[in-house]
Every structure is written in C-alpha cells, then in structure tokens.
Amino acid sequence: MTDYNDKARAVILAALMVFSVFAGTVAFSGTAAAQSATPGNSSLTPNSVQEGSTNSLTVDLELNSIDTQDGTAQTVSLDFNDTLGMSSAGVSNVDVSGENVTSNGNSNVDSTNNVVNLTLGDASGSGVASDTVNVTFDIQNVVAPSVQGNQQTDVALSLDTNNDGSFETGADPVSASFFTFTVTDSTTGGASATRAGSGGTGDFDTGNGAGVVYPGATVYQGETDISVGGSAAGTTFTKTAGDAQGVPLEFPIPQDQATGTYNNSANQQITVTRPRVTDLEVENRQGADIAGGSVPQGNSSTGSGELTVIGDWNYQKAENLELTIENENGLEVTNQAVDENNGADNPADKATTSGTASASWDVDLSDLNTGTFTVTVEGSDDLDFGPATQSTTVTVTSDDDVTLDLDQSSVIRGDDVTYTIRGSNAGDQHLVAIEDGDFRTDANGNPVSGSTIFRNVGDTLARGEYTDTSGSSNTDYAFAIVEIDDDTGVGVGQIDTSNLDTSSIDVNVYETSATNLANEQGSNRSLRAQNFTAANLDDDRIEDDPSLQVEEGEITIDNPGNTYVVNSEVDINGSVSGGTDDVAVYVRREARYQVVNLGGGQRSISVDADNTFEKEDVGLSTNSGPGNNILSLPGTYRFGIIDASDVGGTGSIADNVTTSNFNTGTSAQQSIRVTDTELSVNIQTVGGQVALTGSPESPEPVNITGTALGATNNEVIVITVGERGNVGYDTISVDDDGTFEEEDFNLGDLEEGRASAHVLMQGRDGAFGDGELPSSASGSFQTFVTNLDRDNRPAGTSTLTGDQIRSRIVDQTTEDVGSDDRMTSTTFQINTARTSIGNVYPEGMQASGVNPVAVDSTAVVEGQTNLRPDDNSITLELSSQDGTSVALSSSDEWSYDGTWSMTLELQDVQTGTYELEADDGENSDIVEVQVVQSVETATPEPTATPEPTPTDTATPEPTPEPTPEPTPEPTPEPTATATPTPTEGGGPGFGAIVAVIALIAAALLAVRRDN
C-alpha cells in the first residue's frame, strides 16, 4: 500500500480536508507480543475534505499495553502517504493522559514525506508495564490538492516503543491502513461536495440535471430538477446585493433569475450564474478550425470524414454537453455522424482550467452527401437556451479536386494577380510555382530573379526561388507555400507580374504533402521553407495549372516636347497603361540608348496610383550621365521612357540598352531636337527716356522682362553703361519656365545723356567668351566689368567713354573667339524729368494745339512726359488771372510712350482767359486757355469728306454735273453761321477751319458755273 501510485492518490485526497469536517472512527484490532502497544478506539477528524481546501485535523489515539516503567520514550508516527500538502503544517494542542506518561514536547512535521511525529516519555517513579495512554493533538494548515473524482487513501500508524530510532515490525503494532482518508471532487458529489444525487446520496445526475445542492454550491439559471439539502433544506435564500437585492432564489430556478450570491438566515450561501457554452470548434484532420467554413467530402479518413467537434461549457457541475447535427433540410443526422462510443458527454473529460469543461466528438459526414450541416452543442436537460447553447455550420463540398483560380486571366505586366486555392482542407499547405522560362529578361537578355514574383501576402507562409538540380540542366522556380485558411476554407495569395515574360504563363499548384513545407518560427510568424525538395515539384503532383496571359503595357510621354534648349530645366511627365511602378529616361544618338540622370543620383521616376509619373525641373543636359552628355550639344535625337523593370529595376538601372531590348520593353520614344540657348529682353523706358528724379537726381528704375532658355545658374547679368564711363553690374533670377522679370530695376549712377543696358548670359560652355579674362579681373567677370567703371578703374588708367566700355564688354563676351554667349542691348536717353501740355480741346471735338473751351463743358488736356506712370502723378490746375483755382484734376496713369491725357470739368467757370498748369512734382508747364460761352460743334469736320469730289470733276464731266448742284448750295450756309465763332471765341479754333472750307466750296461752285 506504500507504492508510488498509492502515495500520489493519498496526496490528492489529503488536500481536500478544509471543506468538510466529519468524524470517523476506525476500529483496529491486532495481536501484540509482550512489551508492545496495542491500539484501541482511535479517530481522525475529519476523515474527508474537499479539494483545494486548507484544514485543521484532530488526531485521537488510544494506545494499550504501553510500558510506562521502562524509562524509555515512545514515538508515535502518522504517514499520510503524500496525500496532503504539509509544507506549512504544524502540530498543536497536544494532550497526553496515562499512568506515568507525559509528552516531552518533541513533535515535528516531515513535510517532504507527509509524516507527523510525536514523542512520549516515561515520568519518574513507578509505572505500569501494560498501561493505556490516550493522546490527542491537532495538525494545522493541511492543504488538500485538486482531484478528478473522489480519491481515498490509507494513513499508516507506526510506533517506536523503545525509542531506538526505528519503527518496530512484526509483533509491534505497525499498521499501513490505520485510518482511511478521502479527498472529494467538488463536481461529483460525495459527503462534503456541494452537489449530490437525488435524496443526497451518490453523485449528482449531470445527464438529467437532477439532484441536491448544498450551501456553497454554484447553480445556474434555468436549472429545474434541483433542491437544497443538508442543514439549508427548507430555508429561503435572498439576493445579498445589486439591483435585485432581497429577491428570493426560486426553485426551479427561472431562466432570468438575477445572477450573484444569495444567503439564508444562517448566512449560508448559494451563487447563481449564467450557463454558457464558451467555445465551439470543428477541427479537420490538420487540427484547423473550419467552423463556418467548408470541407471537401472525402471519405472516412479524409475531408469531412475526419472531423472533431469540440465544445467548452461552464455548467459541467449541472449538466453534460450534448451534440446535435442537422442537415440543411433540418433532419437530425447525429446518430449517423457520430459514433456513440466516441462521444464525450461525461464530465470526466472536463478541463481543469478556469472552471470550464471541454468535450469532444469524432464526426464523420462523408456518407451524408454534400450540403451545409448545422452543429449544435447544448445542455443535456434544461440548459438549452440563450448562451447555454451554441451552433455553427460546416459546408461539405463535392469538389475534392484542388483548383487554382486566378482573379484575372489577362493582365498588363506589372499588375498584381490574386489567386485562390479551393477544394482542399483547412490547414493543408500547397506549393504554387512558376518556371524560369516564364521569367522576364533583363537589359542584357538574362532571366531576372524570381524571388519576388510571389508576394508575401494573404495565406502565404513562405516564398522565394528554388533551383532544381536533379535534371540534366538546372531549372529555377518562383514558389509560394500557401496554407488553407481555417475560417474561409481557401488559400489566397498574389502574383507580382513585373518580372514575368509577356506571354502565356503557367501557374502550377501541387498536391499537399504529408509533411508541412513551412512552419512558424517564433511568435512573430517569421516563416522559412523547409522539407522542400525537387520531389515536391514533380509534374505528377500538379493539381491544377491555369494560364495567365501577360501583356505589354504602354507609356505615353507628355513632356518634354520635341524641342529642348541646352542648359534649361524641363518637367518630365506622362502616363502608363498600368502595371509599371517606375520608369527610366534614355536618349539615343546612334545604336544604343544611354540613360539620362535626373539629378541627385536619381535614375528612375515613381509611377503614382493614378498611373501617372512626373519629375520637375530636370536638367537634361546639365546633370552628369551618358544620356545627359548627348543632350548637351544641339542636334536631333531619340528620347525614350521605359519601364524600369526592363532595364535592371530601380536602384540597378543600366547605363545603356540596345535598341532592340529598349523597343521590346514597355517603352515609348519620340524625336527631340536640342537647340542652343536663347535670350530675349524687354527694357521698359518711357518714350525711350529715363527721367532723373529726386535729390540728388538719379535715373528712375525700369522694368526688365524676358526669356532666357538655358541660362547658367538660372540667372542673367545686367550691365548698364553711361555716356561718361559709369558702369553698373547686377543679376536677375530666371524662373523654372525660362522667364524672368524685375520690376523697378535700378540703373545705377548714370548721368544725363545717352546710356545703354546689356542683358547677357553664358552659352552652353558655361563661360563668358573663351573663358579667359584680363589679369586685372582676378578671374571674375563681375570684377572685369566693375573695373571698367570710371570710379573703379585702377590707378594710372584713363577714364573710358561709354562706347569704349561697350566695346570691351562685347570683346570679352559675344565677339570673343568661339563664344556662344547671348546678349541683348537697349539704348535710351537719360534726361531731367519733363512734363508738357500739347493739346487742349472740348471733349468730343479732338483738335491739336490749345483751343477754346465752353462754360460748363469738359476740357480734354493731352501732353508728354518722361516720368514712369504709377510711380509719379501729374496734376492739372485751371486758375484765373488772380490765381484762383477753378478746376483741378490729377492722374498717375499713362502709357509708356510718355503720352498722358486728362479731363477738366468746367462747371460754374465763367468766360475769360485762364492759366492751365501741368505739374509732375519735378517741374511744370503752363498755357493760357480761353473759356467762351459756347463752341461750335464739330459738324464742320465731316465737310472735309467732299474733298475727293474735285477729283471726280476732272474726269467724267457729264456725270458730276447733276449731282454736285444740290450739294454746294447747302455748303455755304454753314460757313455763314461759322463766321461769328471767332468774334465770340476771341481766339484761334474751329472758326478758321470752317472759313477755309467755305472758300474752297465757293471756288468749286464758281468753276462749275464757268463750265
């Protein structure tokens, strides 16, 4: 009884001591020889404890025939056979009674061996050779372990009657089964369990959900066939807290009974909880959960024939879990699908974690035809409602053949193609592969790597490239290992067609292997291929091989156009038809295309999601690269853009590509003509003049605009030269589109007289002239120019005239040997600020000179100025002879030809002679203007149109005679009315013109009459 199994069982039983305290008396009878002890009535209380409890045990021993006069001590030992946990146990409350016997205080607990020792000693004096001694003591903090089912063990009693350190055998009382001790499983009943069978005996009937519960029990909503037993029988339990506080616990328990703790008047407790099925899985032979998914029909050992239903539930103390399977017509097929001998409805199958049990059933649906089956688990009696039950479906398909479906049968190279593996079991792994004969070739005609043809997405566990060396020649494969998903029942992956040939591509899926081809490595799902050999790629293992047609894509070039100016920056943009991630730029002069570097070491342009690409401000001829060198000289070339994958891929773009390889790739080409640099400039003066203003006087600024294509450093240089040797030097930035604009450009320290402004830029060679400057320039063109200024010339040299300076600048730039510089020159006059009045006339009666204007009319005043508009203003003032201002007007708007025009309102101005002054702030001009009562209208002016009539009279005399006679008669009448105008106006004006016209008309009339 002391073998290993018995001891293990004893340890489990001892751990249950805390929850029940029962007295038990074990009768022991034995035969003792002389000078040996004989046990009498003894007890161990309690002799049954509940699993997981912490207990205090009381030992009561009656020992007969103890020799209390031999002067030696006796040791009593109880061995619990590893039943209980005694690491914290101790002995207390020792009481010894008998003739001349005492406890000498020596007691200990051997927790390693689960043994309790107590030593007794003889008192001095006379004793009895055969005395009876009673010993009681407590063993505290004894822990009962968890058990599955009630476990009983025997407690051994041993005596060392002569205190020699060894327990007696043979005639001495040694008993291996002195006490019987039980640890009870709280789920299966027993005297100390919280549930028992009907009437309180035996185990609770979990099949029918019937029996008795005791205080401390957990009960479930919806339980019907239970009652409270023991000391709590007949008492009322009420809710202790929460919203339902005070509500009584009903029996049978309603499905909506409030959960929580209920106490009776004796403070005994019962807990109500909600019954739940916590999990339901349907596993295939790979151990994958296919609940809600599909499975091929297969046979008894494959597909739907190898399924396991696993259910977890929390009410295993109350009811077993029951499985039901129905077909899609609602017909129950459980008995056909489940072998009655392999069901798991016994709580002995429960798990011991989190209070949740787990049951499983072997299921075979292969003989039940195809369709969708509903799998339900629920309580075996009342607990079949709400969360106490759970269902799922499994669809059995007739397609037992593995197929590979492509979401597209024809694509543009570079597009992604999603594939789906169907007709396999969840958890199965399949190899998908493409041979190297279908790989695209690089710029040199060699197959590219296939390691990235399959993407690491979806259900892909591993991907890469494998070389089969088993044949006469090596064959490379791009491969992916794909696992069938538990939930969907399919395996999904993706192909990147960027590295595939433009042809019909075979995509092979192979049958699953007995050994998985890929395993998880670590918690981060880092996967590696393993167990992968050429045998896996045997053609006999191919399950399906759909074809994928890969087409060449198209590229469209929007910019640059067909011309390019050397040294300029342009935008490169266009679009692709799809499938292209990056493009590269090339140019061809002869047999090969040379790559164009795009700046910063960049050789490719990314294609955006909308299939467009763009790179701004690219110096086609200024960046360093073989193609850039070609574009640095004028000529006509082939400009092309190609899918970067065709020329090595981003990061490995080839320097040059043959015309054949370029044309067979996804590419586009066009002609491009490279032209020399261009410069055009407009300097905006006012009527060819620049006014001197301010104090001290200096030239007004000018506006400079223009276009400089191919400007070095994106700037142009502006040099100003005055007549007396003044020189100015400045720069203007050129925008990305080749244009420049500088408002209010300062001409510098130029004096009155002829001056010029020269805008110039370096040519293709990036240097002025031949690149050599006079030694005095110190290598700087700016120094060379500024040294020409009369104020900066080196000591001992004479001042140069403006023409000499211009000649020296031209000599070092545009007229130097081999120069390709560009220069434009503008000459203008620098004068003092001037504003003058030219014409005055009534509005609507345009005339030159100063003419009379009428009272309450509007006078138009015109003149000239060399001042810039907007920056200056001209004020007109009409004043009487005594200086009284009668009309005023001003404007800052006029054209850059220097002509200005304003109006004066003459309301309430009396007739007379007035002074009209135009003042620009620098100077003024004054004229006298006559204001008269009225001014003849401009009707006489149309009479000038009859002037052609004299030409008619010179040729066909008969025709003119009838026509002119009516015309001359009315003509003199206006001349008569016009004669008063001079007398009223008092000055030159329209009266003189009308008189002249009248004289001409009279003369013509006289000639006609003579004829």
Side-chain angles (χ1 to χ4, degrees), residues 94-169:
V94 178
D95 184 27
V96 178
S97 62
E99 186 70 24
N100 203 33
V101 174
T102 63
S103 169
N104 61 9
N106 293 330
S107 61
N108 66 80
V109 176
D110 181 359
S111 61
T112 302
N113 298 307
N114 279 50
V115 173
V116 178
N117 299 311
L118 182 67
T119 303
L120 307 177
D122 290 350
S124 59
S126 61
V128 181
S130 180
D131 197 6
T132 297
V133 178
N134 293 310
V135 180
T136 62
F137 58 91
D138 294 336
I139 309 172
Q140 297 176 327
N141 298 322
V142 178
V143 179
S146 296
V147 295
Q148 292 187 356
N150 296 342
Q151 294 194 15
Q152 179 177 302
T153 189
D154 293 326
V155 180
L157 171 66
S158 300
L159 297 176
D160 179 6
T161 56
N162 56 11
N163 199 30
D164 61 1
S166 62
F167 294 113
E168 278 65 23
T169 59

Side-chain angles (χ1 to χ4, degrees), residues 24-366:
T25 302
V26 180
F28 177 81
S29 63
T31 303
Q35 297 184 0
S36 63
T38 304
N41 293 327
S42 301
S43 65
L44 174 64
T45 308
N47 69 345
S48 177
V49 295
Q50 191 174 8
E51 61 177 340
S53 61
T54 301
N55 305 272
S56 176
L57 308 181
T58 299
V59 180
D60 190 349
L61 297 176
E62 179 183 294
L63 303 175
N64 298 316
S65 303
I66 293 292
D67 186 353
T68 60
Q69 64 178 4
D70 62 0
T72 61
Q74 296 87 26
T75 300
V76 180
S77 179
L78 288 177
D79 185 353
F80 286 89
N81 292 310
D82 296 333
T83 302
L84 302 175
M86 290 193 169
S87 60
S88 300
V91 177
S92 64
N93 300 324
V94 178
D95 184 27
V96 178
S97 62
E99 186 70 24
N100 203 33
V101 174
T102 63
S103 169
N104 61 9
N106 293 330
S107 61
N108 66 80
V109 176
D110 181 359
S111 61
T112 302
N113 298 307
N114 279 50
V115 173
V116 178
N117 299 311
L118 182 67
T119 303
L120 307 177
D122 290 350
S124 59
S126 61
V128 181
S130 180
D131 197 6
T132 297
V133 178
N134 293 310
V135 180
T136 62
F137 58 91
D138 294 336
I139 309 172
Q140 297 176 327
N141 298 322
V142 178
V143 179
S146 296
V147 295
Q148 292 187 356
N150 296 342
Q151 294 194 15
Q152 179 177 302
T153 189
D154 293 326
V155 180
L157 171 66
S158 300
L159 297 176
D160 179 6
T161 56
N162 56 11
N163 199 30
D164 61 1
S166 62
F167 294 113
E168 278 65 23
T169 59
D172 284 336
V174 178
S175 175
S177 57
F178 191 76
F179 295 126
T180 299
F181 192 83
T182 302
V183 178
T184 62
D185 181 349
S186 62
T187 65
T188 58
S192 62
T194 57
R195 286 178 180 257
S198 299
T201 60
D203 292 340
F204 188 86
D205 185 358
T206 55
N208 294 313
V212 175
V213 296
Y214 298 103
T218 296
V219 297
Y220 300 88
Q221 293 172 325
E223 283 195 83
T224 61
D225 299 329
I226 61 172
S227 60
V228 179
S231 61
T235 64
T236 299
F237 287 79
T238 58
K239 188 79 162 53
T240 58
D243 294 339
Q245 183 175 358
V247 172
L249 176 59
E250 300 179 36
F251 291 91
I253 302 174
Q255 294 181 3
D256 60 353
Q257 181 78 47
T259 60
T261 58
Y262 292 75
N263 286 10
N264 63 7
S265 57
N267 206 30
Q268 294 173 309
Q269 180 177 294
I270 290 178
T271 301
V272 177
T273 192
R274 179 176 292 108
R276 290 182 298 113
V277 171
T278 57
D279 191 30
L280 174 60
E281 294 183 357
V282 181
E283 293 184 354
N284 66 4
R285 66 186 180 90
Q286 295 285 9
D289 181 13
I290 62 169
S294 62
V295 61
Q297 184 173 15
N299 53 46
S300 59
S301 59
T302 63
S304 67
E306 278 287 317
L307 301 180
T308 302
V309 176
I310 302 173
D312 295 345
W313 80 112
N314 73 336
Y315 51 90
Q316 68 276 7
K317 297 176 183 178
E319 291 185 14
N320 296 339
L321 197 64
E322 188 173 79
L323 171 68
T324 303
I325 301 177
E326 296 178 349
N327 66 14
E328 57 190 5
N329 297 320
L331 178 65
E332 184 178 345
V333 295
T334 311
N335 292 337
Q336 176 72 21
V338 181
D339 183 348
E340 61 180 8
N341 295 321
N342 66 28
D345 59 356
N346 193 317
D349 284 336
K350 71 181 180 64
T352 59
T353 59
S354 305
T356 301
S358 181
S360 62
W361 296 264
D362 293 337
V363 174
D364 181 357
L365 302 176
S366 61

Side-chain angles (χ1 to χ4, degrees), residues 292-616:
S294 62
V295 61
Q297 184 173 15
N299 53 46
S300 59
S301 59
T302 63
S304 67
E306 278 287 317
L307 301 180
T308 302
V309 176
I310 302 173
D312 295 345
W313 80 112
N314 73 336
Y315 51 90
Q316 68 276 7
K317 297 176 183 178
E319 291 185 14
N320 296 339
L321 197 64
E322 188 173 79
L323 171 68
T324 303
I325 301 177
E326 296 178 349
N327 66 14
E328 57 190 5
N329 297 320
L331 178 65
E332 184 178 345
V333 295
T334 311
N335 292 337
Q336 176 72 21
V338 181
D339 183 348
E340 61 180 8
N341 295 321
N342 66 28
D345 59 356
N346 193 317
D349 284 336
K350 71 181 180 64
T352 59
T353 59
S354 305
T356 301
S358 181
S360 62
W361 296 264
D362 293 337
V363 174
D364 181 357
L365 302 176
S366 61
D367 290 337
L368 292 170
N369 296 323
T370 60
T372 299
F373 294 84
T374 300
V375 178
T376 303
V377 290
E378 59 190 10
S380 57
D381 186 40
D382 299 318
L383 305 183
D384 57 359
F385 59 92
T389 179
Q390 192 172 140
S391 298
T392 188
T393 61
V394 174
T395 299
V396 177
T397 64
S398 60
D399 188 4
D400 290 331
D401 295 328
V402 176
T403 60
L404 184 70
D405 297 335
L406 305 177
D407 71 339
Q408 301 174 79
S409 60
S410 179
V411 295
I412 301 298
R413 180 161 63 183
D415 284 343
D416 294 332
V417 177
T418 300
Y419 59 85
T420 303
I421 302 174
R422 304 184 189 277
S424 187
N425 293 289
D428 283 354
Q429 294 181 6
H430 289 273
L431 178 65
V432 184
I434 296 174
E435 292 188 24
D436 59 0
D438 291 326
F439 296 0
R440 82 185 301 170
T441 55
D442 61 17
N444 298 317
N446 300 317
V448 300
S449 170
S451 60
T452 60
I453 287 178
F454 288 96
R455 291 189 177 275
N456 192 17
V457 298
D459 300 312
T460 303
L461 300 182
R463 56 111 184 228
E465 185 173 8
Y466 174 78
T467 302
D468 180 6
T469 59
S470 61
S472 57
S473 60
N474 295 345
T475 302
D476 287 341
Y477 292 87
F479 74 87
I481 298 172
V482 181
E483 185 175 61
I484 306 302
D485 185 77
D486 301 356
D487 297 325
T488 63
V490 299
V492 179
Q494 199 171 68
I495 301 169
D496 179 0
T497 62
S498 299
N499 285 339
L500 292 179
D501 192 16
T502 51
S503 60
S504 180
I505 309 297
D506 287 335
V507 185
N508 300 327
V509 59
Y510 296 79
E511 66 183 33
T512 186
S513 301
T515 304
N516 283 343
L517 298 177
N519 285 342
E520 285 195 22
Q521 302 295 316
S523 59
N524 62 348
R525 285 190 60 84
S526 173
L527 300 164
R528 63 180 177 83
Q530 65 176 20
N531 305 321
F532 188 6
T533 66
N536 297 115
L537 294 163
D538 193 311
D539 288 348
D540 293 337
R541 297 176 58 85
I542 295 176
E543 295 271 15
D544 198 11
D545 57 348
S547 295
L548 173 65
Q549 184 65 42
V550 179
E551 305 287 350
E552 191 73 68
E554 294 181 357
I555 294 179
T556 301
I557 303 173
D558 295 333
N559 279 305
N562 296 113
T563 59
Y564 169 71
V565 179
V566 172
N567 289 353
S568 64
E569 293 183 347
V570 297
D571 294 344
I572 299 176
N573 53 50
S575 60
V576 300
S577 59
T580 298
D581 295 328
D582 302 276
V583 295
V585 181
Y586 283 79
V587 65
R588 178 172 65 85
R589 177 172 173 262
E590 292 180 347
R592 300 180 73 86
Y593 278 89
Q594 308 289 326
V595 70
V596 175
N597 284 338
L598 306 173
Q602 184 177 347
R603 285 193 170 193
S604 62
I605 305 172
S606 296
V607 177
D608 295 333
D610 61 354
N611 288 332
T612 63
F613 59 88
E614 181 171 26
K615 172 70 174 173
E616 297 179 339

Side-chain angles (χ1 to χ4, degrees), residues 495 793 975:
I495 301 169
R793 286 186 60 72
T975 56

